[in-house]
Amino acid sequence: MKKKILILLAVLIGVYVVFSVLDSGEYRVEKKMWQLQQKFSEIAQDPKAVPPRQFDMMIARYRALAEKHPESRYVPQMYALIGALYVMNKDYESARTAYHAVVDQFSQSPDVVSKALLDIGNAYMLENRVEDAVEVYLRILKNYERTETGFKMPMLLVGLYRNLGQETEVRQYLVQAERFYRGIAVNDEENELLRITASQALASVYMAQQRWEDVIKTLKGVLEEYGDSRFMNPKRLSVITRALNIVYIGRLRDFDRAIAMYESFIDEHPGHVLNPYLTKVIESIELLKEYKTEAVVPEK
Amino acid sequence: MSTKISVKHSLNLLGNSIALPFKSPQILYPFGILAFIQVFLMEIIFFATRMPLVKIFGPIIERLRGPIFLHYPFNFDLLANIFQAFQPFVFIFISSIIIGKAVVIVVQLNEGKGVDQMPKLGLKTCVNLMVAFLMIYIIASGFVAGYDLLIRRAVRIRSTAGFYFLIKQAVLIGAPYFNLLFSIIITTLLAYLVPLIVLAKQNIFIALWTNFKMIGKSFFMLLIIIFISSLFYVPVLLIQSNQQWLGSFLSIEGWQIFKIFSVLLLLFIDAIQYTAITTCYLLTKEE
């Protein structure tokens, strides 16, 4: 029996060793990243209190990890964190160099490159170099418009100029954004997810232009056209109904139209998976309407 | 045997039961197999999120728990949850048989016989043991569910000081210790079930009836033995209830090693308890 127990012990050790050796995945990188991430979070809590040597040490560790595992899918994240450490240390030039490393190394991956470019642009913004930042943002818009980052770029530019109080540029980019999003939203050859997202982005452009009826028309269209889509998940539906409610109730003060729109969707799509949610939305609006009416009566 | 003598004897019996695994390690063999099964299970779950096993288990885990659990350090949460989910099956189908065999080994050692290989149990005995352990599991789950209700009620207490606050704290912080206490009471009340099924070859219903008839004669003796031996597990509970604080000193892997240690400790406690229970059973039966 002693022998059997020893065999079982050997099996346990053997299984551990064999599976550890066979593991060709990213587990070790993930583990190291997690450990570094813990230290990164400590630094990020109060970067001013961190001595420069500690920044250098962390950056060296990330660099060593990236060099040790050059094929890892976490390499862009490593460089992004190196850049973030430089930014925290207010060394923006070095931060951009780190982000550029991602741009050069992953030039075949538009998603990764566009994110790194966005970081470069943001680093310029932190230095108040608006023109340089805009140049990078425009580069993303021009070359990577179909990536997640590129898709947000027109509205990011609108926000940027709005913060700067440059209304001419705001209008210019709103027009450009409208053209861009509408082009995708109405193009049947584009994939469904992109068209839904473009329609939502188009609604936010109209919202920024205070074109309330266009917001309603666009989002109502999304509900009607993509109500059965697998991409119409609860989160997206919640975003759409919230935007519609802001317009109907917050801006137009028209509770009845909001209720009528949701009711018409439920009537036209009996048994639809979204109906219970929309019913709750209707109930909330009715409650709000009742509350508002009661609040208004004494004033009369 | 009077209760007084039993209490006196209980400490001696406990001492002998603790010493027996060191004198005759054969008693630990069945628990060694159980330890192997538990650690092997942990290993498989641990490697299920890594290459190459992730190709088989990855899609299942992703669908059931979400993709994040395939990555470090959330794979350890998955490990803990799945390991816990397997425990009822291990307890009912494996621990029952292993403990049955351990009881036979204790008898063989008491009779001075050598133990060269694991004793064999008949199919009928195995089925009765499984039913007995299922019953123990249901009773224990009932206690835990009852305590959960108590916790829910305690959470609703709003006092931040005074008597009700103390009750709330006792219920919330004391949860693992109360669960240990329930486990001690259940093990004591049903102590002779396994020896009766394995040694007296009784079926579960007769064994249950005989158990209650016999238990009265040595209840306190058993309670003391099981209570004191269970106290070995209290440091583990203390560490577990301070997991958040200790987490800052201990790495995730270190914590996992601690969990393996706690499983092995639990098995060692089982070995001591069933050695003592079997000896107690033999003494009570002789009477």
Side-chain angles (χ1 to χ4, degrees):
Chain A
M1 275 203 289
K2 203 182 272 180
K3 201 177 158 188
K4 277 182 191 166
I5 294 290
L6 286 173
I7 291 169
L8 293 179
L9 194 64
V11 168
L12 285 179
I13 296 167
V15 166
Y16 188 86
V17 172
V18 168
F19 279 121
S20 296
V21 171
L22 282 177
D23 182 16
S24 57
E26 298 260 38
Y27 186 80
R28 286 182 194 90
V29 184
E30 281 179 8
K31 187 178 161 183
K32 195 74 195 161
M33 279 288 280
W34 173 262
Q35 287 165 350
L36 290 176
Q37 187 69 39
Q38 302 297 103
K39 291 195 173 73
F40 180 93
S41 304
E42 280 171 26
I43 291 176
Q45 270 179 1
D46 190 4
K48 283 178 190 167
V50 178
R53 244 191 80 206
Q54 205 172 329
F55 279 109
D56 295 340
M57 219 162 68
M58 276 297 288
I59 288 163
R61 283 183 184 172
Y62 274 121
R63 280 197 196 284
L65 190 63
E67 279 161 22
K68 196 176 174 188
H69 303 279
E71 301 300 318
S72 169
R73 65 191 159 105
Y74 293 102
V75 170
Q77 200 182 328
M78 290 172 206
Y79 280 110
L81 290 167
I82 289 172
L85 282 164
Y86 279 125
V87 167
M88 277 191 257
N89 202 18
K90 298 194 188 308
D91 184 354
Y92 301 111
E93 198 53 53
S94 302
R96 283 190 291 273
T97 311
Y99 298 134
H100 268 298
V102 180
V103 175
D104 297 338
Q105 204 172 328
F106 295 88
S107 55
Q108 302 304 313
S109 172
D111 276 316
V112 174
V113 172
S114 59
K115 272 181 193 154
L117 285 172
L118 178 66
D119 287 334
I120 292 172
N122 291 346
Y124 277 127
M125 279 304 289
L126 287 168
E127 270 190 298
N128 230 359
R129 290 167 63 179
V130 179
E131 282 180 16
D132 291 324
V134 170
E135 197 183 311
V136 178
Y137 294 149
L138 289 175
R139 189 175 151 197
I140 301 171
L141 190 58
K142 190 182 164 199
N143 300 332
Y144 305 101
E145 60 176 13
R146 296 302 166 96
T147 62
E148 196 187 332
T149 312
F151 208 75
K152 292 174 190 161
M153 220 28 74
M155 286 310 279
L156 185 138
L157 284 160
V158 169
L160 187 150
Y161 282 114
R162 183 153 281 168
N163 285 341
L164 292 171
Q166 299 179 13
E167 284 306 314
T168 315
E169 279 79 3
V170 170
R171 279 193 294 276
Q172 178 198 326
Y173 282 107
L174 276 174
V175 171
Q176 198 177 328
E178 185 187 343
R179 201 182 309 133
F180 172 63
Y181 294 131
R182 196 192 294 126
I184 296 170
V186 297
N187 188 352
D188 290 340
E189 286 171 12
E190 295 286 359
N191 73 59
E192 196 174 70
L193 178 61
L194 202 63
R195 288 177 64 196
I196 298 173
T197 317
S199 301
Q200 284 181 258
L202 184 62
S204 62
V205 172
Y206 291 142
M207 192 100 79
Q209 293 170 319
Q210 304 195 348
R211 289 160 61 182
W212 311 125
E213 290 301 331
D214 287 325
V215 176
I216 292 169
K217 195 179 154 193
T218 308
L219 292 180
K220 205 175 151 190
V222 173
L223 277 184
E224 278 165 3
E225 196 173 342
Y226 305 107
D228 293 318
S229 165
R230 65 191 170 101
F231 300 114
M232 190 53 72
N233 51 38
K235 193 179 167 191
R236 191 182 294 278
L237 181 68
S238 156
V239 171
I240 292 171
T241 51
R242 204 183 307 142
L244 279 167
N245 293 343
I246 286 171
V247 175
Y248 274 128
I249 298 157
R251 300 291 171 180
L252 303 176
R253 307 267 165 201
D254 198 340
F255 296 91
D256 295 331
R257 262 183 79 193
I259 294 168
M261 197 214 80
Y262 294 129
E263 278 177 346
S264 113
F265 180 89
I266 293 170
D267 289 343
E268 284 165 22
H269 303 84
H272 196 280
V273 68
L274 303 180
N275 289 359
Y277 177 79
L278 293 178
T279 309
K280 279 188 181 170
V281 173
I282 293 171
E283 282 168 11
S284 308
I285 297 172
E286 275 170 347
L287 206 70
L288 196 66
K289 185 183 164 188
E290 203 175 303
Y291 170 76
K292 287 278 176 188
T293 316
E294 279 172 14
V296 166
V297 168
E299 283 178 16
K300 281 182 180 174
Chain B
M1 196 186 284
S2 75
T3 305
K4 245 183 183 176
I5 297 166
S6 299
V7 173
K8 228 180 196 177
H9 280 171
S10 57
L11 291 176
N12 283 336
L13 189 56
L14 179 64
N16 288 336
S17 301
I18 294 170
L20 190 65
F22 298 100
K23 276 189 224 163
S24 312
Q26 296 96 316
I27 182 65
L28 289 178
Y29 289 160
F31 293 98
I33 290 167
L34 199 51
F36 166 78
I37 292 166
Q38 296 277 45
V39 179
F40 187 74
L41 183 63
M42 276 190 195
E43 273 193 344
I44 295 300
I45 304 168
F46 175 62
F47 284 107
T49 56
R50 293 170 63 173
M51 289 290 274
L53 292 185
V54 73
K55 287 192 172 178
I56 304 164
F57 296 110
I60 305 166
I61 294 167
E62 211 171 314
R63 178 169 285 190
L64 293 177
R65 302 300 306 268
I68 190 130
F69 290 97
L70 294 173
H71 301 282
Y72 187 91
F74 302 100
N75 61 322
F76 284 100
D77 287 338
L78 181 88
L79 169 56
N81 290 338
I82 297 186
F83 181 75
Q84 203 54 44
F86 268 103
Q87 288 316 294
F89 299 98
V90 173
F91 181 73
I92 294 162
F93 297 108
I94 302 170
S95 294
S96 56
I97 311 295
I98 296 284
I99 289 173
K101 288 180 186 241
V103 165
V104 178
I105 290 176
V106 173
V107 173
Q108 286 174 345
L109 289 173
N110 269 333
E111 288 168 355
K113 289 180 191 168
V115 184
D116 297 327
Q117 54 184 4
M118 287 278 275
K120 286 191 173 78
L121 302 174
L123 180 69
K124 202 176 144 191
T125 308
C126 289
V127 172
N128 277 304
L129 280 171
M130 285 177 198
V131 176
F133 274 65
L134 173 68
M135 201 179 69
I136 293 171
Y137 175 74
I138 291 169
I139 295 169
S141 302
F143 270 108
V144 172
Y147 198 82
D148 276 348
L149 289 176
L150 206 62
I151 287 176
R152 278 185 210 170
R153 179 63 190 89
V155 167
R156 283 163 55 200
I157 296 174
R158 288 181 188 169
S159 312
T160 51
F163 180 65
Y164 288 107
F165 177 70
L166 281 178
I167 291 177
K168 180 183 176 176
Q169 291 298 94
V171 170
L172 295 181
I173 299 169
Y177 307 99
F178 281 113
N179 282 333
L180 182 70
L181 192 66
F182 297 149
S183 151
I184 291 169
I185 293 167
I186 295 165
T187 310
T188 309
L189 284 174
L190 300 171
Y192 293 147
L193 211 51
V194 178
L196 284 166
I197 291 171
V198 175
L199 305 175
K201 304 282 177 203
Q202 290 183 351
N203 75 38
I204 175 72
F205 302 107
I206 296 168
L208 201 60
W209 174 246
T210 320
N211 170 74
F212 285 122
K213 276 205 298 187
M214 284 176 77
I215 210 81
K217 293 176 187 171
S218 50
F219 180 77
F220 287 106
M221 185 175 179
L222 281 168
L223 186 66
I224 288 170
I225 290 168
I226 292 167
F227 181 80
I228 294 174
S229 55
S230 298
L231 291 181
F232 291 130
Y233 198 67
V234 171
V236 172
L237 293 180
L238 270 170
I239 293 170
Q240 277 175 352
S241 47
N242 290 294
Q243 186 179 354
Q244 275 194 326
W245 178 72
L246 283 161
S248 48
F249 304 105
L250 209 61
S251 69
I252 299 166
E253 289 77 13
W255 193 253
Q256 201 52 46
I257 290 167
F258 167 74
K259 280 184 182 168
I260 295 173
F261 166 78
S262 66
V263 168
L264 298 181
L265 179 68
L266 212 54
L267 290 175
F268 185 73
I269 293 170
D270 274 349
I272 293 170
Q273 287 182 347
Y274 275 94
T275 304
I277 286 171
T278 310
T279 315
C280 237
Y281 166 79
L282 295 173
L283 287 171
T284 316
K285 200 184 84 177
E286 272 171 25
E287 265 191 22

